[in-house]
Amino acid sequence: MKITDHITNANGKTLFSFELLPPIKGQGIQGIFDAIDPLMEFNPPFIDVTTSREDSYYKERSNGLLEKVTYRKRPGTVAVCAAIMNKYKVDAVPHLLCGGFTKEETEYALIDLQFLGIDNVLVLRGDARKGDAGFVPTPGGHTYATELLEQVINMNNGKYLHDEYEAVKTDFCVGIAAYPEKHFEAPNLKTDSQFLKKKVDAGAGFMVTQMFFDNNKYREFVKCCRENDINIPIIPGLKPLTTSKQLISLPKIFHIDIPEDLSDAVQACTNEKDVKEVGIEWMINQCKELVEMGAPVLHFYTMGNAEPTKRIAKAVF
């Protein structure tokens, strides 16, 4: 079922969902199941599975020269989605990236997803490779998430990359990323919302936000979107702060603000156990307020650790 249909069928009730990382190459699927099992009591209608782009490292050869080795740390997104749908009978939402994939590779992935009966995808530009100053498009791939979105919508209209014969139309519900504190490359929130409007006009069906810790940011973002005639569901993405190091790492990596009250409470803690409790309690209160605000779904970035999310969900749902 499409994400938009799940939301419509909920009749205003806030749903629960979460995101997972595929296992590192060489590991089995059981770790994924172990991360899902504790959260199934909250009846997630869908589960996201991330995709990773290629990475590289330098290996010293016998002659002393360095050889660049390219590899993908977490392959298997499509297979993980199939395993989740088969075992748990819930919808799986694979991520599609611009970075690291050609247009042909994207088309093949979408064909596989269609054959598996997967109805939803989340399209993203993706991060820059380690060592690159900024995002560098993959040769033969897309530069912007808007282009990737258009490729999916084209397939929904029966238009594939090489129109040599009549093609079957796909029927994907396409999600996009959103940034309540604006994308770090956008000059301002208004400009950022204009780019979002282009994606919505191109056919995006829902959006999932970057994590945030201040509900006022989400409230203002939703207001800005509605004022710009962006009326698709806006799903808040959430992750509790669980270590003191995250006061520095989260703003640095994700370009977000940590509210002063939360920062002060974390800094007042004398050990990491107390920090985790502060972060979980903050997220519980944040989630309760988001439910009151009418958020369609509370979507958690679990990073494979179900325990904090389970505690939050028990207090909210």
Side-chain angles (χ1 to χ4, degrees), residues 1 23 41 52 81 95 112 116 147 177 217 275 280 312 317:
M1 186 184 295
E41 66 177 282
S52 64
C81 286
H95 293 192
D112 286 344
L116 288 169
E147 299 169 349
K217 301 287 181 69
V275 170
I280 289 176
I312 295 164
F317 291 95

Side-chain angles (χ1 to χ4, degrees), residues 19 46-47 81 93 186 194 200 205 223 229 231 245 247 254 262 268 297-298 309 311:
E19 178 180 296
F46 63 91
I47 299 170
C81 286
V93 184
Q194 290 171 346
V200 173
K223 179 182 177 183
D229 199 27
N231 296 308
K245 291 181 179 179
L247 285 180
F254 299 104
L262 177 56
V297 185
L298 299 184
T309 300
R311 288 179 57 187

Side-chain angles (χ1 to χ4, degrees), residues 13-17 41-42 287-288 291 296-300 309 311-317:
K13 178 184 176 182
T14 300
L15 301 173
F16 166 84
S17 68
E41 66 177 282
F42 307 109
C287 288
K288 288 180 177 179
V291 170
V297 185
L298 299 184
H299 185 71
F300 292 89
T309 300
R311 288 179 57 187
I312 295 164
K314 269 190 171 295
V316 175
F317 291 95

